[in-house]
Amino acid sequence: MSDRSLLVVVLAAGEGTRMASRLPKVLHKVAGRTMLHHVLAATRAAGATRTAVVVGPGREDVAAEVRRIVPDAEVFEQTERLGTAHAVLAARAALEKGADDVLVLYADTPLVRPETLGLLRAPLAAGAAVAALGFEPADPTGYGRLVTRGDELVAIREEKDASAEEKAVRFCNAGLMALAGAHALSILERIGNTNAKGEYYLTDAVEIARAAGLSAVAARADADEVAGVNSRVQLAEAEAILQRRLRLAAMAGGATLVAPETVFLCADTVLGRDVIVEPHVVFGPGVSIGDDVVIHAFCHLEGARLESGVTIGPYARLRPGTQLDSGVRIGNFVETKAAHIESGAKVNHLSYVGDAHVGADANLGAGTITCNYDGFGKYRTEIGAGAFIGVNSALVAPVTIGKGAFVGTGAVITSDVPDDALAIARSRQVVKEGWAREFRAARGKSPSPAKPKG
């Protein structure tokens, strides 16, 4: 349907009171992305040519998220909450510009797939004026029913208004709707509010279209895909569904997840072929993993790029700005941040490498720390190719360790070290025989085991 223009109207004005949160509902995250981001990403993948998002009064935070994801989107404010059709008409200016197809979506349904949006649009190309998306829940109680006759959608009946026969229908309204652009405004404008709540319901579009001699149809989706999120419990349920999708996709793409149910991925996580991910690994946003990488158990990665053949962990933390070139080894209890570590370099134990560049084949001993912060600013450490940093060394930035240089064990380095030089910065050990015995005697004490407490 690439030859048909598509306007997407996303309704994002709900307050989400059941979330019990100061954060707008649609900005809560699933798999590292806001629910709004998931919906907008799906619409782009489905071929949206224009995007309009309806937000609540004063919700500049939601508007900012819209513009971050779709910079050319139009944002409209719904000043009063008078029903779903009223919300769509808040984007009247966008509707008036025209489009072949109009999709109406909700920003709290983060699991909808682009393929399903294509399925919902398809009847419009075949001449339908309205297409509604339906599903079959395990328990239909509380949902509006899609009343069909053959291939035609006759009505969307709210449960409280449904007859006994209609309540027996298990095909329920998911809320998402497609409208033919040529008829969208005229249908929406004819929706009234003569109901118990005095609101303008988008579902009335079906009967209005049929009364005008136009056709309406229903498309079908899986129940999981159209699940709305209105509470923290439903947020967790959506997370579980999306994590399963992401894990299956990762394994289908050639990654081994040793214990998939313990690995948490982000929507944008990229895993190469023959990657091995051990149990209890968490991927935050912005992680890209090359081929043949091994991630041992209990690692946490965010904003990091790992090239082929890298090994990390167990218990490693890679923070944003980490770049590990091919063959790098990061060991247990190592943390990196804004660090580029070149091919073959090793940081194997108990170290912090932040705001740093580490040259190829360098070796950082256990307990190496780049002291990058003085309480006011951040400073960089440069470590040359082939350098060897002894255990328990503190490199006080800004500082440069030259290529092939050695830093002795326990050193505190505050000045640059030239290429191929040895830097030792520690006090000479002094041993005074008998000093401890004399010290205790002078205070009338003798060695004794510590008394137990309590």
Side-chain angles (χ1 to χ4, degrees):
M1 289 181 287
S2 58
D3 58 333
R4 295 177 63 85
S5 60
L6 171 62
L7 167 64
V8 176
V9 180
V10 179
L11 305 185
E15 292 182 341
T17 53
R18 278 189 281 166
M19 298 294 285
S21 174
R22 289 183 294 274
L23 189 69
K25 177 174 66 171
V26 300
L27 297 188
H28 283 265
K29 292 183 178 180
V30 178
R33 281 182 175 173
T34 63
M35 291 194 281
L36 177 59
H37 189 162
H38 281 288
V39 173
L40 291 174
T43 64
R44 283 186 297 176
T49 49
R50 288 191 296 118
T51 302
V53 182
V54 180
V55 304
R59 288 267 58 125
E60 185 52 42
D61 47 1
V62 178
E65 175 73 348
V66 172
R67 296 188 180 101
R68 184 184 70 83
I69 301 159
V70 185
D72 62 350
E74 297 179 85
V75 178
F76 300 93
E77 186 175 292
Q78 184 186 11
T79 55
E80 297 180 278
R81 290 180 172 83
L82 299 177
T84 48
H86 178 264
V88 176
L89 280 173
R92 178 187 292 273
L95 292 162
E96 288 174 343
K97 294 176 184 176
D100 293 320
D101 302 338
V102 176
L103 274 181
V104 179
L105 308 180
Y106 296 85
D108 61 357
T109 55
L111 302 177
V112 66
R113 300 175 189 265
E115 297 82 1
T116 299
L117 299 182
L119 184 68
L120 184 58
R121 287 180 68 192
L124 304 184
V130 177
L133 191 63
F135 70 109
E136 290 192 22
D139 179 5
T141 303
Y143 291 104
R145 307 302 205 273
L146 298 186
V147 181
T148 58
R149 185 182 301 122
D151 293 333
E152 285 285 307
L153 176 61
V154 176
I156 302 176
R157 194 82 71 217
E158 294 302 321
E159 187 176 60
K160 64 182 183 301
D161 300 323
S163 66
E165 182 182 0
E166 289 168 340
K167 286 180 180 178
V169 173
R170 301 190 63 84
F171 193 27
C172 296
N173 180 34
L176 287 69
M177 185 174 287
L179 301 165
H183 305 292
L185 258 179
S186 63
I187 291 173
L188 290 166
E189 288 173 339
R190 290 158 68 183
I191 293 175
N193 66 341
T194 54
N195 53 63
K197 288 190 174 181
E199 293 186 351
Y200 300 85
Y201 295 134
L202 183 61
T203 50
D204 289 348
V206 173
E207 291 179 273
I208 287 173
R210 287 179 57 80
L214 303 170
S215 68
V217 298
R220 190 177 296 266
D222 292 337
D224 284 349
E225 191 173 350
V226 295
V229 175
N230 295 296
S231 68
R232 305 278 184 165
V233 171
Q234 292 173 341
L235 187 69
E237 292 169 349
E239 182 76 41
I241 293 167
L242 190 50
Q243 286 298 330
R244 177 169 172 75
R245 280 190 199 172
L246 294 171
R247 291 164 188 154
L248 290 173
M251 291 186 286
T256 293
L257 308 184
V258 176
E261 69 281 2
T262 71
V263 175
F264 286 82
L265 299 156
C266 250
D268 64 351
T269 301
V270 177
L271 299 180
R273 289 188 176 182
D274 296 312
V275 170
I276 297 175
V277 183
E278 291 186 353
H280 302 290
V281 173
V282 176
F283 295 90
V287 176
S288 176
I289 307 294
D291 295 343
D292 303 303
V293 169
V294 177
I295 302 174
H296 291 295
F298 294 100
C299 290
H300 189 286
L301 303 85
E302 181 178 356
R305 180 179 180 85
L306 282 60
E307 301 295 344
S308 62
V310 167
T311 299
I312 71 166
Y315 294 98
R317 184 186 182 196
L318 308 187
R319 291 168 58 194
T322 293
Q323 163 78 38
L324 306 182
D325 291 350
S326 60
V328 166
R329 293 178 61 87
I330 300 293
N332 49 292
F333 301 104
V334 171
E335 179 178 347
T336 64
K337 188 273 294 184
H340 180 188
I341 302 179
E342 293 187 348
S343 299
K346 299 176 183 177
V347 189
N348 273 331
H349 321 282
L350 303 159
S351 296
Y352 171 69
V353 182
D355 296 291
H357 179 270
V358 179
D361 299 314
N363 188 97
L364 278 61
T368 297
I369 295 174
T370 59
C371 306
N372 59 328
Y373 183 53
D374 64 359
F376 297 94
K378 297 289 183 73
Y379 304 93
R380 290 192 63 78
T381 297
E382 297 286 338
I383 300 174
F388 184 96
I389 311 299
V391 300
N392 287 335
S393 294
L395 311 180
V396 183
V399 70
T400 297
I401 310 300
K403 296 177 182 178
F406 270 62
V407 172
T409 297
V412 178
I413 302 298
T414 58
S415 300
D416 292 351
V417 178
D419 293 354
D420 299 313
L422 168 64
I424 301 174
R426 61 179 184 268
S427 300
R428 182 181 297 276
Q429 179 173 316
V430 176
V431 177
K432 294 184 178 182
E433 295 286 349
W435 181 91
R437 182 174 58 252
E438 294 170 3
F439 177 80
R440 288 190 294 269
R443 284 159 176 75
K445 296 182 179 180
S446 60
S448 61
K451 294 180 179 179
K453 294 181 179 181

